[in-house]
Every structure is written in structure tokens, then in C-alpha cells.
mmCIF file with all atom_site columns, all heavy atoms in Angstrom:
data_model
loop_
_atom_site.group_PDB
_atom_site.id
_atom_site.type_symbol
_atom_site.label_atom_id
_atom_site.label_alt_id
_atom_site.label_comp_id
_atom_site.label_asym_id
_atom_site.label_entity_id
_atom_site.label_seq_id
_atom_site.pdbx_PDB_ins_code
_atom_site.Cartn_x
_atom_site.Cartn_y
_atom_site.Cartn_z
_atom_site.occupancy
_atom_site.B_iso_or_equiv
_atom_site.pdbx_formal_charge
_atom_site.auth_seq_id
_atom_site.auth_comp_id
_atom_site.auth_asym_id
_atom_site.auth_atom_id
_atom_site.pdbx_PDB_model_num
ATOM 1   N N   . PHE H 1 1  ? 128.764 62.500 -1.939  1.00 0.00 ? 1  PHE H N   1
ATOM 2   C CA  . PHE H 1 1  ? 129.497 63.736 -1.892  1.00 0.00 ? 1  PHE H CA  1
ATOM 3   C C   . PHE H 1 1  ? 131.020 63.504 -1.808  1.00 0.00 ? 1  PHE H C   1
ATOM 4   O O   . PHE H 1 1  ? 131.702 64.196 -2.292  1.00 0.00 ? 1  PHE H O   1
ATOM 5   C CB  . PHE H 1 1  ? 128.920 64.579 -0.778  1.00 0.00 ? 1  PHE H CB  1
ATOM 6   C CG  . PHE H 1 1  ? 127.674 65.223 -1.074  1.00 0.00 ? 1  PHE H CG  1
ATOM 7   C CD1 . PHE H 1 1  ? 126.451 64.998 -0.517  1.00 0.00 ? 1  PHE H CD1 1
ATOM 8   C CD2 . PHE H 1 1  ? 127.610 66.213 -2.263  1.00 0.00 ? 1  PHE H CD2 1
ATOM 9   C CE1 . PHE H 1 1  ? 125.315 65.698 -0.734  1.00 0.00 ? 1  PHE H CE1 1
ATOM 10  C CE2 . PHE H 1 1  ? 126.455 66.789 -2.557  1.00 0.00 ? 1  PHE H CE2 1
ATOM 11  C CZ  . PHE H 1 1  ? 125.262 66.528 -1.908  1.00 0.00 ? 1  PHE H CZ  1
ATOM 12  N N   . ALA H 1 2  ? 131.370 62.476 -1.037  1.00 0.00 ? 2  ALA H N   1
ATOM 13  C CA  . ALA H 1 2  ? 132.875 62.189 -0.929  1.00 0.00 ? 2  ALA H CA  1
ATOM 14  C C   . ALA H 1 2  ? 133.428 61.745 -2.185  1.00 0.00 ? 2  ALA H C   1
ATOM 15  O O   . ALA H 1 2  ? 134.497 62.112 -2.684  1.00 0.00 ? 2  ALA H O   1
ATOM 16  C CB  . ALA H 1 2  ? 133.090 61.056 0.109   1.00 0.00 ? 2  ALA H CB  1
ATOM 17  N N   . CYS H 1 3  ? 132.553 61.035 -3.057  1.00 0.00 ? 3  CYS H N   1
ATOM 18  C CA  . CYS H 1 3  ? 133.010 60.545 -4.367  1.00 0.00 ? 3  CYS H CA  1
ATOM 19  C C   . CYS H 1 3  ? 133.080 61.731 -5.248  1.00 0.00 ? 3  CYS H C   1
ATOM 20  O O   . CYS H 1 3  ? 134.117 61.968 -6.001  1.00 0.00 ? 3  CYS H O   1
ATOM 21  C CB  . CYS H 1 3  ? 131.977 59.600 -4.887  1.00 0.00 ? 3  CYS H CB  1
ATOM 22  S SG  . CYS H 1 3  ? 132.353 58.891 -6.541  1.00 0.00 ? 3  CYS H SG  1
ATOM 23  N N   . VAL H 1 4  ? 132.164 62.712 -5.285  1.00 0.00 ? 4  VAL H N   1
ATOM 24  C CA  . VAL H 1 4  ? 132.144 63.894 -6.056  1.00 0.00 ? 4  VAL H CA  1
ATOM 25  C C   . VAL H 1 4  ? 133.288 64.790 -5.739  1.00 0.00 ? 4  VAL H C   1
ATOM 26  O O   . VAL H 1 4  ? 133.990 65.365 -6.641  1.00 0.00 ? 4  VAL H O   1
ATOM 27  C CB  . VAL H 1 4  ? 130.807 64.609 -6.034  1.00 0.00 ? 4  VAL H CB  1
ATOM 28  C CG1 . VAL H 1 4  ? 130.896 66.015 -6.637  1.00 0.00 ? 4  VAL H CG1 1
ATOM 29  C CG2 . VAL H 1 4  ? 129.663 63.895 -6.638  1.00 0.00 ? 4  VAL H CG2 1
ATOM 30  N N   . THR H 1 5  ? 133.555 64.826 -4.483  1.00 0.00 ? 5  THR H N   1
ATOM 31  C CA  . THR H 1 5  ? 134.802 65.659 -4.041  1.00 0.00 ? 5  THR H CA  1
ATOM 32  C C   . THR H 1 5  ? 136.164 65.013 -4.616  1.00 0.00 ? 5  THR H C   1
ATOM 33  O O   . THR H 1 5  ? 136.948 65.757 -5.146  1.00 0.00 ? 5  THR H O   1
ATOM 34  C CB  . THR H 1 5  ? 134.889 65.697 -2.464  1.00 0.00 ? 5  THR H CB  1
ATOM 35  O OG1 . THR H 1 5  ? 133.762 66.368 -2.100  1.00 0.00 ? 5  THR H OG1 1
ATOM 36  C CG2 . THR H 1 5  ? 136.064 66.499 -2.027  1.00 0.00 ? 5  THR H CG2 1
ATOM 37  N N   . ALA H 1 6  ? 136.139 63.824 -4.631  1.00 0.00 ? 6  ALA H N   1
ATOM 38  C CA  . ALA H 1 6  ? 137.347 63.093 -5.153  1.00 0.00 ? 6  ALA H CA  1
ATOM 39  C C   . ALA H 1 6  ? 137.357 63.286 -6.587  1.00 0.00 ? 6  ALA H C   1
ATOM 40  O O   . ALA H 1 6  ? 138.394 63.510 -7.220  1.00 0.00 ? 6  ALA H O   1
ATOM 41  C CB  . ALA H 1 6  ? 137.255 61.601 -4.881  1.00 0.00 ? 6  ALA H CB  1
ATOM 42  N N   . CYS H 1 7  ? 136.185 63.399 -7.297  1.00 0.00 ? 7  CYS H N   1
ATOM 43  C CA  . CYS H 1 7  ? 136.252 63.709 -8.747  1.00 0.00 ? 7  CYS H CA  1
ATOM 44  C C   . CYS H 1 7  ? 136.817 65.040 -9.070  1.00 0.00 ? 7  CYS H C   1
ATOM 45  O O   . CYS H 1 7  ? 137.516 65.217 -9.993  1.00 0.00 ? 7  CYS H O   1
ATOM 46  C CB  . CYS H 1 7  ? 134.807 63.622 -9.298  1.00 0.00 ? 7  CYS H CB  1
ATOM 47  S SG  . CYS H 1 7  ? 134.133 62.017 -9.516  1.00 0.00 ? 7  CYS H SG  1
ATOM 48  N N   . SER H 1 8  ? 136.386 66.021 -8.139  1.00 0.00 ? 8  SER H N   1
ATOM 49  C CA  . SER H 1 8  ? 136.959 67.333 -8.473  1.00 0.00 ? 8  SER H CA  1
ATOM 50  C C   . SER H 1 8  ? 138.325 67.475 -8.229  1.00 0.00 ? 8  SER H C   1
ATOM 51  O O   . SER H 1 8  ? 139.089 68.206 -8.875  1.00 0.00 ? 8  SER H O   1
ATOM 52  C CB  . SER H 1 8  ? 136.181 68.363 -7.681  1.00 0.00 ? 8  SER H CB  1
ATOM 53  O OG  . SER H 1 8  ? 136.401 68.222 -6.272  1.00 0.00 ? 8  SER H OG  1
ATOM 54  N N   . LEU H 1 9  ? 138.938 66.647 -7.399  1.00 0.00 ? 9  LEU H N   1
ATOM 55  C CA  . LEU H 1 9  ? 140.320 66.650 -7.085  1.00 0.00 ? 9  LEU H CA  1
ATOM 56  C C   . LEU H 1 9  ? 141.059 66.013 -8.249  1.00 0.00 ? 9  LEU H C   1
ATOM 57  O O   . LEU H 1 9  ? 142.190 66.308 -8.570  1.00 0.00 ? 9  LEU H O   1
ATOM 58  C CB  . LEU H 1 9  ? 140.639 65.943 -5.754  1.00 0.00 ? 9  LEU H CB  1
ATOM 59  C CG  . LEU H 1 9  ? 140.091 66.746 -4.548  1.00 0.00 ? 9  LEU H CG  1
ATOM 60  C CD1 . LEU H 1 9  ? 140.322 65.888 -3.241  1.00 0.00 ? 9  LEU H CD1 1
ATOM 61  C CD2 . LEU H 1 9  ? 140.728 68.094 -4.265  1.00 0.00 ? 9  LEU H CD2 1
ATOM 62  N N   . ASP H 1 10 ? 140.488 64.935 -8.720  1.00 0.00 ? 10 ASP H N   1
ATOM 63  C CA  . ASP H 1 10 ? 141.017 64.177 -9.900  1.00 0.00 ? 10 ASP H CA  1
ATOM 64  C C   . ASP H 1 10 ? 140.955 64.793 -11.253 1.00 0.00 ? 10 ASP H C   1
ATOM 65  O O   . ASP H 1 10 ? 141.551 64.507 -12.231 1.00 0.00 ? 10 ASP H O   1
ATOM 66  C CB  . ASP H 1 10 ? 140.469 62.762 -9.982  1.00 0.00 ? 10 ASP H CB  1
ATOM 67  C CG  . ASP H 1 10 ? 140.800 61.916 -8.813  1.00 0.00 ? 10 ASP H CG  1
ATOM 68  O OD1 . ASP H 1 10 ? 141.740 62.196 -8.146  1.00 0.00 ? 10 ASP H OD1 1
ATOM 69  O OD2 . ASP H 1 10 ? 140.181 60.836 -8.611  1.00 0.00 ? 10 ASP H OD2 1
ATOM 70  N N   . ASP H 1 11 ? 140.034 65.908 -11.275 1.00 0.00 ? 11 ASP H N   1
ATOM 71  C CA  . ASP H 1 11 ? 139.801 66.666 -12.459 1.00 0.00 ? 11 ASP H CA  1
ATOM 72  C C   . ASP H 1 11 ? 139.279 65.671 -13.709 1.00 0.00 ? 11 ASP H C   1
ATOM 73  O O   . ASP H 1 11 ? 139.636 65.919 -14.839 1.00 0.00 ? 11 ASP H O   1
ATOM 74  C CB  . ASP H 1 11 ? 140.972 67.432 -12.913 1.00 0.00 ? 11 ASP H CB  1
ATOM 75  C CG  . ASP H 1 11 ? 140.733 68.601 -13.851 1.00 0.00 ? 11 ASP H CG  1
ATOM 76  O OD1 . ASP H 1 11 ? 139.635 69.059 -13.788 1.00 0.00 ? 11 ASP H OD1 1
ATOM 77  O OD2 . ASP H 1 11 ? 141.491 68.919 -14.674 1.00 0.00 ? 11 ASP H OD2 1
ATOM 78  N N   . GLU H 1 12 ? 138.447 64.783 -13.360 1.00 0.00 ? 12 GLU H N   1
ATOM 79  C CA  . GLU H 1 12 ? 137.929 63.812 -14.336 1.00 0.00 ? 12 GLU H CA  1
ATOM 80  C C   . GLU H 1 12 ? 136.580 64.364 -14.858 1.00 0.00 ? 12 GLU H C   1
ATOM 81  O O   . GLU H 1 12 ? 136.050 63.984 -15.878 1.00 0.00 ? 12 GLU H O   1
ATOM 82  C CB  . GLU H 1 12 ? 137.674 62.409 -13.817 1.00 0.00 ? 12 GLU H CB  1
ATOM 83  C CG  . GLU H 1 12 ? 138.988 61.722 -13.652 1.00 0.00 ? 12 GLU H CG  1
ATOM 84  C CD  . GLU H 1 12 ? 138.641 60.332 -13.050 1.00 0.00 ? 12 GLU H CD  1
ATOM 85  O OE1 . GLU H 1 12 ? 137.778 59.582 -13.626 1.00 0.00 ? 12 GLU H OE1 1
ATOM 86  O OE2 . GLU H 1 12 ? 139.447 59.765 -12.262 1.00 0.00 ? 12 GLU H OE2 1
ATOM 87  N N   . GLY H 1 13 ? 135.915 65.316 -14.216 1.00 0.00 ? 13 GLY H N   1
ATOM 88  C CA  . GLY H 1 13 ? 134.767 65.963 -14.710 1.00 0.00 ? 13 GLY H CA  1
ATOM 89  C C   . GLY H 1 13 ? 133.510 65.113 -14.628 1.00 0.00 ? 13 GLY H C   1
ATOM 90  O O   . GLY H 1 13 ? 133.287 64.356 -13.718 1.00 0.00 ? 13 GLY H O   1
ATOM 91  N N   . VAL H 1 14 ? 132.684 65.256 -15.662 1.00 0.00 ? 14 VAL H N   1
ATOM 92  C CA  . VAL H 1 14 ? 131.309 64.792 -15.707 1.00 0.00 ? 14 VAL H CA  1
ATOM 93  C C   . VAL H 1 14 ? 131.293 63.213 -15.601 1.00 0.00 ? 14 VAL H C   1
ATOM 94  O O   . VAL H 1 14 ? 130.446 62.628 -14.974 1.00 0.00 ? 14 VAL H O   1
ATOM 95  C CB  . VAL H 1 14 ? 130.439 65.221 -16.892 1.00 0.00 ? 14 VAL H CB  1
ATOM 96  C CG1 . VAL H 1 14 ? 129.221 64.705 -17.050 1.00 0.00 ? 14 VAL H CG1 1
ATOM 97  C CG2 . VAL H 1 14 ? 130.397 66.837 -16.832 1.00 0.00 ? 14 VAL H CG2 1
ATOM 98  N N   . GLU H 1 15 ? 132.139 62.684 -16.353 1.00 0.00 ? 15 GLU H N   1
ATOM 99  C CA  . GLU H 1 15 ? 132.120 61.115 -16.372 1.00 0.00 ? 15 GLU H CA  1
ATOM 100 C C   . GLU H 1 15 ? 132.317 60.618 -14.792 1.00 0.00 ? 15 GLU H C   1
ATOM 101 O O   . GLU H 1 15 ? 131.648 59.622 -14.578 1.00 0.00 ? 15 GLU H O   1
ATOM 102 C CB  . GLU H 1 15 ? 133.242 60.607 -17.248 1.00 0.00 ? 15 GLU H CB  1
ATOM 103 C CG  . GLU H 1 15 ? 132.968 60.908 -18.736 1.00 0.00 ? 15 GLU H CG  1
ATOM 104 C CD  . GLU H 1 15 ? 134.126 60.335 -19.620 1.00 0.00 ? 15 GLU H CD  1
ATOM 105 O OE1 . GLU H 1 15 ? 135.016 59.664 -19.130 1.00 0.00 ? 15 GLU H OE1 1
ATOM 106 O OE2 . GLU H 1 15 ? 134.118 60.694 -20.774 1.00 0.00 ? 15 GLU H OE2 1
ATOM 107 N N   . CYS H 1 16 ? 133.239 61.192 -14.167 1.00 0.00 ? 16 CYS H N   1
ATOM 108 C CA  . CYS H 1 16 ? 133.509 60.659 -12.815 1.00 0.00 ? 16 CYS H CA  1
ATOM 109 C C   . CYS H 1 16 ? 132.220 60.976 -11.936 1.00 0.00 ? 16 CYS H C   1
ATOM 110 O O   . CYS H 1 16 ? 131.831 60.100 -11.190 1.00 0.00 ? 16 CYS H O   1
ATOM 111 C CB  . CYS H 1 16 ? 134.729 61.470 -12.229 1.00 0.00 ? 16 CYS H CB  1
ATOM 112 S SG  . CYS H 1 16 ? 135.198 60.963 -10.641 1.00 0.00 ? 16 CYS H SG  1
ATOM 113 N N   . THR H 1 17 ? 131.590 62.092 -12.004 1.00 0.00 ? 17 THR H N   1
ATOM 114 C CA  . THR H 1 17 ? 130.334 62.462 -11.272 1.00 0.00 ? 17 THR H CA  1
ATOM 115 C C   . THR H 1 17 ? 129.360 61.589 -11.625 1.00 0.00 ? 17 THR H C   1
ATOM 116 O O   . THR H 1 17 ? 128.515 61.042 -10.712 1.00 0.00 ? 17 THR H O   1
ATOM 117 C CB  . THR H 1 17 ? 130.062 63.895 -11.479 1.00 0.00 ? 17 THR H CB  1
ATOM 118 O OG1 . THR H 1 17 ? 131.060 64.724 -11.189 1.00 0.00 ? 17 THR H OG1 1
ATOM 119 C CG2 . THR H 1 17 ? 128.885 64.263 -10.645 1.00 0.00 ? 17 THR H CG2 1
ATOM 120 N N   . THR H 1 18 ? 129.150 61.170 -12.801 1.00 0.00 ? 18 THR H N   1
ATOM 121 C CA  . THR H 1 18 ? 128.167 60.266 -13.252 1.00 0.00 ? 18 THR H CA  1
ATOM 122 C C   . THR H 1 18 ? 128.391 58.829 -12.737 1.00 0.00 ? 18 THR H C   1
ATOM 123 O O   . THR H 1 18 ? 127.442 58.199 -12.240 1.00 0.00 ? 18 THR H O   1
ATOM 124 C CB  . THR H 1 18 ? 128.117 60.096 -14.829 1.00 0.00 ? 18 THR H CB  1
ATOM 125 O OG1 . THR H 1 18 ? 127.887 61.344 -15.376 1.00 0.00 ? 18 THR H OG1 1
ATOM 126 C CG2 . THR H 1 18 ? 127.042 59.056 -15.328 1.00 0.00 ? 18 THR H CG2 1
ATOM 127 N N   . ARG H 1 19 ? 129.663 58.380 -12.633 1.00 0.00 ? 19 ARG H N   1
ATOM 128 C CA  . ARG H 1 19 ? 129.921 57.163 -11.817 1.00 0.00 ? 19 ARG H CA  1
ATOM 129 C C   . ARG H 1 19 ? 129.480 57.258 -10.485 1.00 0.00 ? 19 ARG H C   1
ATOM 130 O O   . ARG H 1 19 ? 128.939 56.331 -9.982  1.00 0.00 ? 19 ARG H O   1
ATOM 131 C CB  . ARG H 1 19 ? 131.380 56.741 -12.043 1.00 0.00 ? 19 ARG H CB  1
ATOM 132 C CG  . ARG H 1 19 ? 131.755 56.087 -13.326 1.00 0.00 ? 19 ARG H CG  1
ATOM 133 C CD  . ARG H 1 19 ? 133.076 55.471 -13.148 1.00 0.00 ? 19 ARG H CD  1
ATOM 134 N NE  . ARG H 1 19 ? 134.101 56.228 -12.600 1.00 0.00 ? 19 ARG H NE  1
ATOM 135 C CZ  . ARG H 1 19 ? 134.864 57.041 -13.343 1.00 0.00 ? 19 ARG H CZ  1
ATOM 136 N NH1 . ARG H 1 19 ? 134.806 57.185 -14.621 1.00 0.00 ? 19 ARG H NH1 1
ATOM 137 N NH2 . ARG H 1 19 ? 135.938 57.758 -12.801 1.00 0.00 ? 19 ARG H NH2 1
ATOM 138 N N   . CYS H 1 20 ? 129.710 58.271 -9.803  1.00 0.00 ? 20 CYS H N   1
ATOM 139 C CA  . CYS H 1 20 ? 129.404 58.597 -8.291  1.00 0.00 ? 20 CYS H CA  1
ATOM 140 C C   . CYS H 1 20 ? 127.832 58.310 -8.280  1.00 0.00 ? 20 CYS H C   1
ATOM 141 O O   . CYS H 1 20 ? 127.324 57.735 -7.239  1.00 0.00 ? 20 CYS H O   1
ATOM 142 C CB  . CYS H 1 20 ? 129.727 59.870 -7.960  1.00 0.00 ? 20 CYS H CB  1
ATOM 143 S SG  . CYS H 1 20 ? 131.534 60.142 -7.846  1.00 0.00 ? 20 CYS H SG  1
ATOM 144 N N   . VAL H 1 21 ? 127.045 58.955 -9.110  1.00 0.00 ? 21 VAL H N   1
ATOM 145 C CA  . VAL H 1 21 ? 125.619 58.797 -9.114  1.00 0.00 ? 21 VAL H CA  1
ATOM 146 C C   . VAL H 1 21 ? 125.149 57.410 -9.205  1.00 0.00 ? 21 VAL H C   1
ATOM 147 O O   . VAL H 1 21 ? 124.400 56.768 -8.510  1.00 0.00 ? 21 VAL H O   1
ATOM 148 C CB  . VAL H 1 21 ? 124.911 59.708 -10.159 1.00 0.00 ? 21 VAL H CB  1
ATOM 149 C CG1 . VAL H 1 21 ? 123.446 59.371 -10.157 1.00 0.00 ? 21 VAL H CG1 1
ATOM 150 C CG2 . VAL H 1 21 ? 125.133 61.232 -9.956  1.00 0.00 ? 21 VAL H CG2 1
ATOM 151 N N   . GLU H 1 22 ? 125.782 56.707 -10.284 1.00 0.00 ? 22 GLU H N   1
ATOM 152 C CA  . GLU H 1 22 ? 125.374 55.318 -10.513 1.00 0.00 ? 22 GLU H CA  1
ATOM 153 C C   . GLU H 1 22 ? 125.772 54.426 -9.393  1.00 0.00 ? 22 GLU H C   1
ATOM 154 O O   . GLU H 1 22 ? 125.004 53.475 -8.991  1.00 0.00 ? 22 GLU H O   1
ATOM 155 C CB  . GLU H 1 22 ? 126.082 54.851 -11.848 1.00 0.00 ? 22 GLU H CB  1
ATOM 156 C CG  . GLU H 1 22 ? 125.560 55.510 -13.040 1.00 0.00 ? 22 GLU H CG  1
ATOM 157 C CD  . GLU H 1 22 ? 126.443 55.101 -14.196 1.00 0.00 ? 22 GLU H CD  1
ATOM 158 O OE1 . GLU H 1 22 ? 127.455 54.428 -14.182 1.00 0.00 ? 22 GLU H OE1 1
ATOM 159 O OE2 . GLU H 1 22 ? 125.984 55.542 -15.297 1.00 0.00 ? 22 GLU H OE2 1
ATOM 160 N N   . VAL H 1 23 ? 126.860 54.729 -8.751  1.00 0.00 ? 23 VAL H N   1
ATOM 161 C CA  . VAL H 1 23 ? 127.321 53.740 -7.610  1.00 0.00 ? 23 VAL H CA  1
ATOM 162 C C   . VAL H 1 23 ? 126.582 53.971 -6.336  1.00 0.00 ? 23 VAL H C   1
ATOM 163 O O   . VAL H 1 23 ? 126.230 53.183 -5.658  1.00 0.00 ? 23 VAL H O   1
ATOM 164 C CB  . VAL H 1 23 ? 128.872 53.939 -7.388  1.00 0.00 ? 23 VAL H CB  1
ATOM 165 C CG1 . VAL H 1 23 ? 129.315 53.290 -6.137  1.00 0.00 ? 23 VAL H CG1 1
ATOM 166 C CG2 . VAL H 1 23 ? 129.626 53.433 -8.722  1.00 0.00 ? 23 VAL H CG2 1
ATOM 167 N N   . HIS H 1 24 ? 126.472 55.397 -5.999  1.00 0.00 ? 24 HIS H N   1
ATOM 168 C CA  . HIS H 1 24 ? 125.977 55.695 -4.705  1.00 0.00 ? 24 HIS H CA  1
ATOM 169 C C   . HIS H 1 24 ? 124.466 56.064 -4.531  1.00 0.00 ? 24 HIS H C   1
ATOM 170 O O   . HIS H 1 24 ? 123.886 55.900 -3.512  1.00 0.00 ? 24 HIS H O   1
ATOM 171 C CB  . HIS H 1 24 ? 126.769 56.843 -4.069  1.00 0.00 ? 24 HIS H CB  1
ATOM 172 C CG  . HIS H 1 24 ? 128.271 56.325 -3.913  1.00 0.00 ? 24 HIS H CG  1
ATOM 173 N ND1 . HIS H 1 24 ? 128.682 55.489 -3.085  1.00 0.00 ? 24 HIS H ND1 1
ATOM 174 C CD2 . HIS H 1 24 ? 129.359 56.868 -4.550  1.00 0.00 ? 24 HIS H CD2 1
ATOM 175 C CE1 . HIS H 1 24 ? 130.049 55.393 -3.107  1.00 0.00 ? 24 HIS H CE1 1
ATOM 176 N NE2 . HIS H 1 24 ? 130.370 56.129 -4.109  1.00 0.00 ? 24 HIS H NE2 1
ATOM 177 N N   . LEU H 1 25 ? 123.899 56.452 -5.604  1.00 0.00 ? 25 LEU H N   1
ATOM 178 C CA  . LEU H 1 25 ? 122.455 57.012 -5.487  1.00 0.00 ? 25 LEU H CA  1
ATOM 179 C C   . LEU H 1 25 ? 121.600 56.186 -6.070  1.00 0.00 ? 25 LEU H C   1
ATOM 180 O O   . LEU H 1 25 ? 120.273 56.196 -5.793  1.00 0.00 ? 25 LEU H O   1
ATOM 181 C CB  . LEU H 1 25 ? 122.418 58.483 -5.994  1.00 0.00 ? 25 LEU H CB  1
ATOM 182 C CG  . LEU H 1 25 ? 123.208 59.423 -5.334  1.00 0.00 ? 25 LEU H CG  1
ATOM 183 C CD1 . LEU H 1 25 ? 122.903 60.887 -5.909  1.00 0.00 ? 25 LEU H CD1 1
ATOM 184 C CD2 . LEU H 1 25 ? 122.990 59.440 -3.819  1.00 0.00 ? 25 LEU H CD2 1
ATOM 185 N N   . LYS H 1 26 ? 121.810 55.280 -7.023  1.00 0.00 ? 26 LYS H N   1
ATOM 186 C CA  . LYS H 1 26 ? 120.859 54.370 -7.740  1.00 0.00 ? 26 LYS H CA  1
ATOM 187 C C   . LYS H 1 26 ? 120.696 53.113 -6.852  1.00 0.00 ? 26 LYS H C   1
ATOM 188 O O   . LYS H 1 26 ? 121.714 52.478 -6.500  1.00 0.00 ? 26 LYS H O   1
ATOM 189 C CB  . LYS H 1 26 ? 121.341 53.946 -9.171  1.00 0.00 ? 26 LYS H CB  1
ATOM 190 C CG  . LYS H 1 26 ? 121.157 55.160 -10.115 1.00 0.00 ? 26 LYS H CG  1
ATOM 191 C CD  . LYS H 1 26 ? 121.451 54.635 -11.551 1.00 0.00 ? 26 LYS H CD  1
ATOM 192 C CE  . LYS H 1 26 ? 121.301 55.729 -12.530 1.00 0.00 ? 26 LYS H CE  1
ATOM 193 N NZ  . LYS H 1 26 ? 121.620 55.409 -13.889 1.00 0.00 ? 26 LYS H NZ  1
ATOM 194 N N   . ASN H 1 27 ? 119.454 52.885 -6.562  1.00 0.00 ? 27 ASN H N   1
ATOM 195 C CA  . ASN H 1 27 ? 119.149 51.692 -5.610  1.00 0.00 ? 27 ASN H CA  1
ATOM 196 C C   . ASN H 1 27 ? 118.943 50.529 -6.592  1.00 0.00 ? 27 ASN H C   1
ATOM 197 O O   . ASN H 1 27 ? 117.891 50.364 -7.156  1.00 0.00 ? 27 ASN H O   1
ATOM 198 C CB  . ASN H 1 27 ? 118.018 51.964 -4.759  1.00 0.00 ? 27 ASN H CB  1
ATOM 199 C CG  . ASN H 1 27 ? 117.786 50.827 -3.765  1.00 0.00 ? 27 ASN H CG  1
ATOM 200 O OD1 . ASN H 1 27 ? 118.564 49.948 -3.653  1.00 0.00 ? 27 ASN H OD1 1
ATOM 201 N ND2 . ASN H 1 27 ? 116.735 51.118 -2.927  1.00 0.00 ? 27 ASN H ND2 1
#
């Protein structure tokens, strides 16, 4: 969620959010 919040502040959109999922939620 901290990563997604940073994405919304950076205005990078879906690509940034996808990176957050890959980094933080995939085991």
C-alpha cells in the first residue's frame, strides 16, 4: 500500500502499481 500510494503521487499509473504487486505480494 505504501508503494501504491507512491505510485499515485508519481502519476506513473498501472505500470507502477503492477511493479508494487510483483515486488511486495508475489512470494
Side-chain angles (χ1 to χ4, degrees):
F1 281 117
C3 184
V4 169
T5 300
C7 288
S8 66
L9 295 175
D10 290 344
D11 198 30
E12 289 185 38
V14 175
E15 291 178 10
C16 183
T17 303
T18 301
R19 275 198 312 273
C20 294
V21 171
E22 290 174 352
V23 170
H24 298 292
L25 298 184
K26 287 188 178 177
N27 189 0

